């Protein structure tokens, strides 16, 4: 990787990471997006897209361990994809290097939140002084500065790291790549399970199977299933409104029925 | 559902504050969480309605309290708190401690509603479409992921601010009574479950290249399974993984186990 590429990669990743926080998590820093971005900078966008997809699946599986900061899959994706492309490899290598790198990212995320803890005393003072300009400056500064150590580490890994192990790609045996490829396919099940845990409800579980059948048997594209889902939701909404209107009339009709049976 | 009787000046204030809620989490720290982000977002209201420096300092102090919610739902809360700041400035009998309790009572429900809606369901829907396109090598995957997530989020942010400022907590009461909140939750869950099903049929794969003779024809176990019920194996794997996750098994151990089994399987050639 050239120095220019390493600098560009560091800056773009820093800006995306900042923007993700600053614009209320608009999903511009998920593996699915970072993969192609790295790929474009390193001149191999298609491998970038594929690495991004594999990392997205892989890191979905490892998030959400209650209470602790999860390994940082975004940093993992960036480093994993960059190394995979430099080594002339694909998603399999990206996922493995990405997993290791996600722990580096986790450390720097922890560090950045620690760096912000010192702010509270300053905020108290600015409030006492009624200095709103200083409060605004602090908010801006606090959003960007703590990210710089992580960016510096990224740069070192991009530039010197790839220089060091860039040539190792040729030594990876085929069965290792096949094995990781198989693992990505299995891990998908775990990723979906993590999501199901968040949204599962016994009453609605049938829709999970409906989605599966529409896709596996009728081969409807995801966006088609989504459109069908929206139609279905609208239908349910209408039915609910109708039931409610009927419920409002209920007391009188119930009384009528009683009269009928009393005869 | 949305009534707005704001004048031009108020609309401008609401827009300004709602835009500022975007960065609510950017200065997050573990002691006060989004307190500074909230203060940053509500500053336009405070500085507009409170003219004297003492009043402003009082307002800064009461707005800088522990706060944490889904940023996308932030505008509704800053809008509500902003309209209360307006009352505090105009009505000398108004007890400003109401602002603090209102904020505290809104952030929890909004966080659970917002996390479910945006982190749970909308993210899954956008990711499903995105991942499947990206697996084919298309850059559209990333774009669809961003678009599907942000269009609803932007609408909620925009109208949240307006509704918060013009109706405040009355809106929540009205919405709860009409059942809209429950319905939105249910609708989002239905869409997300549908997409989880799609994902299960598309991204999970396990190929067992074991072949044998079946009524004189050489066939693979995989081929036979696919003839009976396409995708049965992936479906069972997802349900099995879900059972594990629900039991509270640590996922990184499961991940390591999967990796180990896959590598051994690939080395000896019974997995491909």
């Amino acid at each position: 990787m050239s120095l220019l590429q390493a600098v560009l990669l560091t800056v773009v990743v820093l800006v995306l990471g900042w923007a993700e926080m600053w614009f209320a998590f608009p999903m511009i820093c998920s593996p699915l997006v970072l993969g192609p971005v790295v790929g474009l900078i390193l001149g191999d966008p298609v491998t970038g897209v594929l690495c991004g997809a594999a990392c997205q699946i892989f890191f979905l599986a490892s998030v959400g361990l209650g209470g602790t900061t999860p390994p940082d899959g975004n940093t993992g994706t960036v480093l994993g994809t960059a190394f995979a492309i430099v080594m002339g490899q694909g998603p399999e290598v990206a996922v493995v290097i990405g997993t290791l790198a996600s722990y580096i990212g986790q450390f720097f995320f922890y560090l950045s939140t620690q760096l912000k803890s010192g702010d509270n005393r300053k905020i108290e003072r600015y409030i006492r002084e009624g200095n709103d300009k200083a409060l605004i400056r602090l908010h801006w500064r606090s959003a960007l500065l703590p990210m710089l150590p992580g960016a510096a580490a990224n740069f070192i890994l991009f530039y010197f790291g790839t220089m060091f192990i860039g040539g190792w790609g040729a030594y990876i045996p085929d069965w290792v790549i096949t094995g990781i490829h198989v693992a990505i396919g299995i891990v998908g099940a775990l990723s979906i399970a993590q999501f199901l845990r968040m949204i599962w409800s016994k009453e609605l579980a049938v829709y999970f199977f409906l989605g599966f059948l529409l896709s596996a048997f009728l081969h409807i594209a995801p966006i088609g299933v989504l459109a069908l889902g929206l139609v279905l939701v609208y239908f349910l909404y209408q039915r609910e409104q109708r039931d409610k209107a009927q419920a409002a009339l209920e007391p009188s009709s119930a009384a009528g029925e009683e009269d009928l049976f009393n005869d | 559902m949305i009534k707005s009787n704001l004048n031009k000046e108020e609309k401008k204030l609401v827009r300004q504050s709602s835009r500022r809620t975007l960065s609510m989490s950017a200065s997050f720290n573990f002691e006060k969480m989004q307190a500074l982000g909230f203060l940053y977002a509500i500053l336009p209201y405070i500085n507009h309605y409170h003219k004297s420096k003492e009043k402003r300092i009082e307002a800064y102090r009461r707005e800088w309290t522990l706060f944490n919610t889904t940023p996308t739902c932030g505008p509704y809360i800053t809008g509500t708190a902003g309209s209360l700041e307006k009352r505090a400035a105009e009505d000398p009998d108004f007890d400003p401690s109401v602002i603090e309790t209102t904020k505290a009572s809104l952030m929890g429900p909004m966080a659970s509603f917002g996390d479910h809606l945006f982190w749970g369901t909308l993210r899954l829907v956008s990711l499903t479409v995105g991942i499947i396109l990206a697996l084919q090598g298309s850059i559209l995957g990333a774009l669809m992921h961003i678009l599907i997530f942000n269009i609803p989020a932007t609408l909620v942010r925009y109208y949240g601010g307006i509704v918060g400022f013009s109706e405040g907590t009355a809106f929540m009461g009205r919405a709860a009574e009409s059942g809209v909140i429950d319905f939105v939750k249910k609708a989002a869950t239905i869409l997300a479950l549908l997409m989880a099903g799609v994902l299960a049929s598309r991204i999970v794969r396990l190929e067992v290249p074991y072949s044998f003779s079946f009524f004189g024809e050489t066939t693979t176990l995989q081929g036979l399974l696919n003839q009976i019920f396409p995708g049965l194996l992936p479906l069972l794997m997802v349900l099995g993984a879900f059972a594990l996750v629900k039991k509270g098994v640590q996922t990184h151990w499961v991940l390591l186990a999967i990796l180990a089994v896959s590598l051994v399987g690939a080395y000896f050639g019974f997995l491909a």
Side-chain angles (χ1 to χ4, degrees):
Chain A
M1 184 183 308
S2 71
L3 184 62
L4 180 70
Q5 280 174 321
V7 171
L8 198 59
L9 209 49
T10 309
V11 172
V12 169
V13 168
L14 176 67
V15 169
L16 284 178
W18 168 81
E20 181 77 358
M21 295 294 275
W22 192 262
F23 295 106
F25 311 105
M27 302 290 133
I28 51 177
C29 213
S30 43
L32 215 48
V33 180
L34 290 170
V37 167
V38 174
L40 275 175
I41 293 175
L42 297 183
D44 191 351
V46 174
T47 306
V49 171
L50 295 174
C51 290
C55 286
Q56 183 76 63
I57 294 170
F58 217 80
F59 289 122
L60 278 179
S62 63
V63 296
L65 302 174
T68 57
T69 319
D72 180 3
N74 303 340
T75 304
T77 304
V78 170
L79 286 163
T81 306
F83 275 80
I85 290 176
V86 171
M87 290 163 81
Q89 297 287 328
E92 294 80 16
V93 169
V95 160
V96 172
I97 295 184
T99 303
L100 299 175
S102 69
Y103 289 95
I104 302 177
Q106 181 184 24
F107 169 76
F108 281 102
F109 177 78
Y110 179 75
L111 183 72
S112 74
T113 11
Q114 284 304 312
L115 287 175
K116 291 177 196 177
S117 308
D119 289 350
N120 287 333
R121 200 167 286 165
K122 275 188 224 154
I123 298 171
E124 240 164 281
R125 200 180 76 224
Y126 296 148
I127 287 178
R128 221 170 29 240
E129 294 164 357
N131 190 349
D132 55 337
K133 298 274 178 324
L135 285 168
I136 293 174
R137 270 201 305 276
L138 186 67
H139 178 65
W140 278 81
R141 201 167 58 210
S142 169
L144 184 64
L145 288 188
M147 298 181 74
L148 295 180
N154 278 352
F155 173 76
I156 293 169
L157 287 167
F158 285 145
Y159 191 57
F160 298 103
T162 52
M163 208 185 271
F164 185 59
I165 70 165
W168 291 9
Y171 303 110
I172 305 173
D174 280 347
W175 63 268
V176 171
I177 300 290
T178 311
I180 301 164
H181 184 77
V182 170
I184 296 172
I186 304 176
V187 166
L190 198 57
S191 313
I192 297 167
Q194 292 285 14
F195 258 120
L196 285 180
R197 191 182 55 166
M198 280 194 263
I199 58 174
W200 190 259
S201 94
K202 269 218 177 94
E203 174 205 358
L204 300 175
V206 66
Y207 291 104
F208 170 72
F209 296 101
L210 178 63
F212 180 84
L213 294 176
L214 289 175
S215 179
F217 282 83
L218 300 180
H219 306 290
I220 301 175
I223 202 98
V225 177
L226 180 58
L228 281 175
L230 288 170
V231 171
L232 183 79
V233 161
Y234 182 69
F235 169 75
L236 289 175
Y237 180 71
Q238 276 185 322
R239 209 183 62 175
E240 197 156 286
Q241 295 301 81
R242 202 188 55 211
D243 286 354
K244 216 181 287 168
Q246 235 158 29
L249 297 170
E250 198 79 332
S252 57
S253 68
E257 248 169 65
E258 237 168 39
D259 280 348
L260 199 71
F261 284 109
N262 281 347
D263 272 333
Chain B
M1 195 69 210
I2 288 150
K3 297 181 207 153
S4 158
N5 44 2
L6 307 182
N7 61 37
K8 221 171 169 184
E9 193 184 61
E10 288 170 328
K11 264 188 196 151
K12 208 180 122 202
L13 260 182
V14 170
R15 262 209 306 275
Q16 196 185 359
S17 169
S18 295
R19 203 173 329 118
R20 284 189 176 200
T21 62
L22 282 167
S23 66
M24 206 167 232
S25 295
S27 56
F28 183 97
N29 68 47
F30 286 122
E31 285 80 24
K32 290 246 176 188
M33 301 191 166
Q34 300 164 333
L36 180 59
F38 189 91
L39 181 57
Y40 172 75
I42 203 162
L43 268 179
Y45 289 118
I46 296 178
N47 288 352
H48 182 80
Y49 290 117
H50 299 288
K51 298 299 176 203
S52 77
K53 191 159 185 179
E54 294 75 52
K55 289 278 177 202
R56 281 185 185 176
I57 292 176
E58 252 176 61
Y60 297 159
R61 190 164 286 142
R62 72 170 160 260
E63 296 295 358
W64 186 61
T65 47
L66 183 129
F67 189 80
N68 201 22
T69 201
T70 314
T72 317
C73 299
Y76 172 69
I77 305 181
T78 51
T80 304
S83 73
L84 292 175
E85 285 296 346
K86 182 184 170 192
R87 266 181 71 189
E90 288 167 355
D91 179 3
D93 296 329
F94 179 75
D95 174 13
S97 70
V98 169
I99 302 175
E100 252 173 82
T101 49
T102 305
K103 255 174 76 180
S105 70
L106 285 179
M107 71 179 193
M110 275 294 151
S112 85
F113 178 71
D115 277 0
H116 179 79
L117 204 60
F118 295 102
W119 284 110
T121 56
L122 193 54
R123 197 163 65 103
L124 173 60
V125 170
S126 69
L127 275 176
T128 303
V129 176
I131 287 175
I132 290 167
L133 284 167
L135 282 174
Q136 296 154 6
S138 168
I139 186 90
L140 277 177
L143 293 177
M144 289 304 284
H145 172 45
I146 294 174
L147 275 180
I148 294 177
F149 185 85
N150 284 300
I151 291 171
T154 307
L155 289 174
V156 167
R157 198 175 294 121
Y158 179 77
Y159 289 108
I162 294 175
V163 159
F165 189 79
S166 54
E167 287 192 61
T169 48
F171 173 77
M172 284 292 269
R174 208 154 59 86
E177 207 174 303
S178 68
V180 154
I181 292 193
D182 286 332
F183 186 79
V184 168
K185 261 191 189 172
K186 185 175 153 187
T189 309
I190 289 175
L191 290 177
L193 282 167
L194 276 173
M195 295 319 263
V198 172
L199 214 47
S201 78
R202 296 286 198 112
I203 69 166
V204 185
R205 49 163 208 268
L206 178 64
E207 264 150 54
V208 193
Y210 173 69
S211 63
F212 57 95
S213 172
F214 184 68
F215 285 102
E217 253 181 278
T218 309
T219 180
T220 60
L221 186 61
Q222 195 83 32
L224 196 64
L225 274 176
N226 281 345
Q227 274 174 15
I228 302 168
F229 191 117
L232 178 64
L233 203 54
L235 184 63
L236 292 178
M237 280 160 67
V238 171
L239 293 176
F242 182 46
L244 279 180
V245 169
K246 253 204 330 204
K247 261 193 195 157
V249 176
Q250 292 281 358
T251 39
H252 51 257
W253 293 120
V254 184
L255 268 174
L256 274 181
I258 290 173
L259 208 54
V261 170
S262 307
L263 285 171
V264 171
Y267 185 75
F268 291 107
F270 61 82
L271 291 173

